[in-house]
């Protein structure tokens, strides 16, 4: 019988133990590395990227409906909430802005962000240009008188909910100068938001007209597909949105949108009945906006039927 010394047995056992330990560590590290690589592989096709298109306005022009409608396209990813990055949250930085974006699977998908306040903020055009001079800019406009009344209506109901003094449009909208002539109250936002020429001129200091798509909000409300075709073409997308995805709600009086089986409609604050405005005030608004409208038409090289 072969005899083994205690020292030999201990050495053998240590050798076997070390081999087992090294094998175990190798196997575990291999599995961990494989798991990490697999995880990276899974995430490599899901990432957040900055928008290549912005819906910059106008407030109460139909921006939410337009965003929901273009989201029907399979290659469009939208930011659901208004980030207000380029106006109010710019100091939070670009990393914060990227975190607000939806995940995309490939570079063929287009991310769109909507914040109507961008159009009227004087700092935004320069900031957008510095981030991306090729940014596609979508501006949906509507008859400035109707837009003003809609804006006023929202302000009215906001103050009503807050138990604040309720505004009167005829009082808020106009201001008499030293010569006794009634003019637009330039301190009242529901009025100044409708001065499209004033705001677009600031954007045109940085961007060419080719960067813009002007959507007719009045047409979009009645026939959304007509305007959506222009959006698809502007974004370089194939025609994918179908008439069956646009569902008219007779109770609400506007279109809702069906992406799958679920129909998405605008909230209760959208499309509500406007506050009553006298014909005299409407006529006065039309007269005061006329010069601004004509200037706007010259700046964008197109006209609208805003009689």
């Amino acid at each position: 019988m072969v005899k083994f010394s205690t020292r030999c047995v201990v050495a053998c056992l240590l050798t076997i133990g070390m081999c087992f330990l090294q094998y175990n560590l190798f196997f575990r590290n291999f599995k961990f590395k494989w798991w990490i690589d697999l995880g990276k592989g899974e995430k490599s096709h899901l990432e957040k990227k900055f928008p290549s298109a912005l819906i910059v306005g106008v407030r109460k022009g139909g921006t939410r409906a337009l965003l929901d409608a273009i989201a029907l396209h399979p290659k469009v990813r939208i930011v659901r909430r208004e980030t207000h990055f380029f106006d109010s949250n710019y100091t939070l930085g670009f990393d914060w802005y990227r975190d607000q974006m939806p995940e995309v699977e490939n570079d063929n998908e287009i991310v769109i962000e909507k914040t109507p306040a961008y159009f009227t903020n004087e700092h935004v055009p320069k900031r957008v240009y510095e981030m991306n001079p090729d940014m596609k800019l979508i501006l949906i406009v509507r008859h400035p008188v109707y837009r003003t009344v809609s804006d006023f209506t929202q302000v009215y109901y906001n103050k009503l909910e807050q138990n604040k003094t309720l505004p009167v449009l005829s009082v808020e909208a106009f201001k008499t100068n030293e010569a006794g002539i009634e003019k637009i109250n330039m301190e009242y936002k529901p009025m100044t938001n409708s001065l499209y020429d004033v705001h677009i001129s600031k954007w045109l200091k940085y961007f060419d007209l080719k960067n813009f798509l002007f959507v007719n909000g009045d047409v979009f409300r009645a026939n959304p597909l007509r305007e959506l075709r222009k959006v698809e073409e502007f974004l370089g997308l194939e025609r994918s949105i179908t008439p069956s995805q646009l569902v008219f709600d007779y109770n609400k009086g506007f279109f809702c949108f069906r992406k799958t089986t679920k129909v998405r409609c605008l909230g209760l604050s959208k499309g509500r009945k406007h506050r009553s405005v006298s014909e005299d005030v409407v006529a006065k608004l039309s007269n005061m906006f006329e010069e601004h409208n004509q200037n706007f038409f010259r700046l964008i090289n197109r006209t609208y039927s805003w009689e």
Side-chain angles (χ1 to χ4, degrees):
M1 179 179 293
V2 180
K3 295 183 178 180
F4 298 95
S5 66
T6 302
R7 183 178 296 176
C8 181
V9 171
V10 171
C12 289
L13 291 174
L14 286 174
T15 301
I16 294 171
M18 288 297 294
C19 290
F20 177 79
L21 180 62
Q22 289 179 355
Y23 172 81
N24 190 43
L25 286 174
F26 171 79
F27 183 70
R28 290 175 60 188
N29 286 337
F30 175 79
K31 285 200 304 182
F32 180 72
K33 185 177 184 304
W34 174 81
W35 180 77
I36 290 294
D37 290 342
L38 180 62
K40 288 180 178 178
E42 289 177 347
K43 292 182 180 179
S44 64
H45 66 285
L46 287 175
E47 62 176 358
K48 294 185 175 184
K49 69 175 185 179
F50 291 121
S52 54
L54 297 175
I55 298 177
V56 297
V58 298
R59 173 181 162 87
K60 307 309 293 180
T63 57
R64 169 54 61 180
L66 180 61
L67 185 72
D68 286 347
I70 196 59
L72 296 173
H73 198 286
K75 289 187 178 179
V76 169
R77 299 292 176 266
I78 65 169
V79 186
R80 282 289 170 194
R81 71 183 188 89
E82 297 174 6
T83 69
H84 285 274
F85 174 66
F86 292 103
D87 59 336
S88 304
N89 295 319
Y90 195 65
T91 56
L92 296 178
F94 288 98
D95 288 338
W96 177 88
Y97 188 42
R98 190 196 299 271
D99 286 341
Q100 313 311 307
M101 300 299 111
E103 291 183 331
V104 298
E105 294 184 356
N106 55 65
D107 291 336
N108 293 327
E109 293 180 316
I110 294 176
V111 175
I112 302 178
E113 190 241 318
K114 171 197 81 83
T115 300
Y118 288 165
F119 183 56
T120 57
N121 186 288
E122 62 181 352
H123 302 294
V124 172
K126 183 175 184 291
R127 291 171 177 175
V128 174
Y129 182 82
E130 288 176 345
M131 190 192 88
N132 182 5
D134 297 318
M135 182 73 78
K136 292 181 180 293
L137 305 166
I138 301 174
L139 183 70
I140 179 169
V141 293
R142 61 186 296 201
H143 194 302
V145 172
Y146 301 149
R147 197 223 63 82
T148 299
V149 174
S150 180
D151 203 345
F152 166 75
T153 298
Q154 180 162 321
V155 171
Y156 179 93
Y157 283 110
N158 287 344
K159 290 185 178 295
L160 181 64
E161 292 171 0
Q162 298 166 9
N163 293 319
K164 293 184 177 180
T165 302
L166 299 179
V168 178
L169 184 58
S170 60
V171 175
E172 304 286 351
F174 313 112
K175 197 170 186 178
T176 304
N177 62 17
E178 295 178 354
I181 301 174
E182 218 170 24
K183 297 285 187 179
I184 293 173
N185 182 359
M186 299 300 288
E187 297 178 356
Y188 191 54
K189 284 187 176 181
M191 288 291 286
T192 58
N193 287 342
S194 293
L195 306 181
Y196 304 148
D197 62 322
V198 172
H199 308 300
I200 195 64
S201 62
K202 296 173 184 177
W203 284 88
L204 293 177
K205 291 178 181 178
Y206 297 93
F207 292 96
D208 294 330
L209 279 176
K210 66 181 182 181
N211 289 84
F212 280 91
L213 174 68
F214 298 97
V215 177
N216 189 327
D218 299 311
V219 172
F220 177 75
R221 183 183 179 95
N223 183 10
L225 190 59
R226 174 179 165 181
E227 297 300 297
L228 287 172
R229 289 289 182 247
K230 298 176 184 177
V231 179
E232 288 174 323
E233 181 179 358
F234 178 67
L235 297 176
L237 299 169
E238 69 278 6
R239 292 186 173 187
S240 292
I241 300 174
T242 63
S244 63
Q245 293 179 287
L246 309 175
V247 183
F248 189 79
D249 189 313
Y250 288 92
N251 293 323
K252 295 178 178 290
F254 52 77
F255 280 89
C256 302
F257 310 108
R258 179 194 292 120
K259 190 161 189 176
T260 53
T261 57
K262 184 179 179 181
V263 176
R264 176 182 288 274
C265 284
L266 299 177
L268 296 176
S269 65
K270 306 294 185 180
R272 63 183 159 195
K273 186 177 180 180
H274 288 171
R275 293 290 301 165
S276 178
V277 178
S278 70
E279 292 183 4
D280 289 342
V281 172
V282 170
K284 192 183 296 186
L285 289 171
S286 296
N287 291 333
M288 290 191 177
F289 286 141
E290 180 60 24
E291 183 178 347
H292 290 280
N293 295 343
Q294 294 302 321
N295 192 34
F296 179 61
F297 299 158
R298 286 192 294 270
L299 289 170
I300 66 172
N301 293 327
R302 65 172 295 177
T303 61
Y304 294 94
S305 299
W306 292 342
E307 299 296 332

